[in-house]
């Protein structure tokens, strides 16, 4: 079993509260962007058919 690295543990404790919200917000923006792009593609496709 590997030796416990207390320095790495402290880095995770310090940076996790910064990284986690950034990752959540980034993922949310990416999801919204994909939904809007898909909606725009669907609207253009329907207007081309009509």
């Amino acid at each position: 079993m590997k030796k416990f690295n207390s320095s790495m543990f402290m880095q995770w404790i310090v940076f996790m509260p910064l990284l986690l919200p950034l990752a959540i917000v980034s993922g949310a923006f990416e999801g919204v962007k994909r939904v809007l792009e898909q909606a725009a593609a669907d609207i253009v496709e329907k207007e081309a058919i009509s």
Side-chain angles (χ1 to χ4, degrees):
M1 191 168 145
K2 289 187 176 185
K3 189 182 118 186
F4 181 74
N5 188 343
S6 61
S7 173
M8 184 65 74
F9 179 74
M10 287 307 294
Q11 287 177 1
W12 274 104
I13 294 298
V14 169
F15 290 111
M16 183 57 77
L18 300 172
L19 294 175
L20 190 59
L22 283 174
I24 291 170
V25 169
S26 173
F29 278 132
E30 191 67 30
V32 168
K33 189 172 94 173
R34 284 188 184 176
V35 167
L36 292 176
E37 287 174 356
Q38 185 63 45
D42 290 345
I43 290 168
V44 169
E45 181 181 310
K46 285 184 180 180
E47 287 191 9
I49 292 172
S50 299

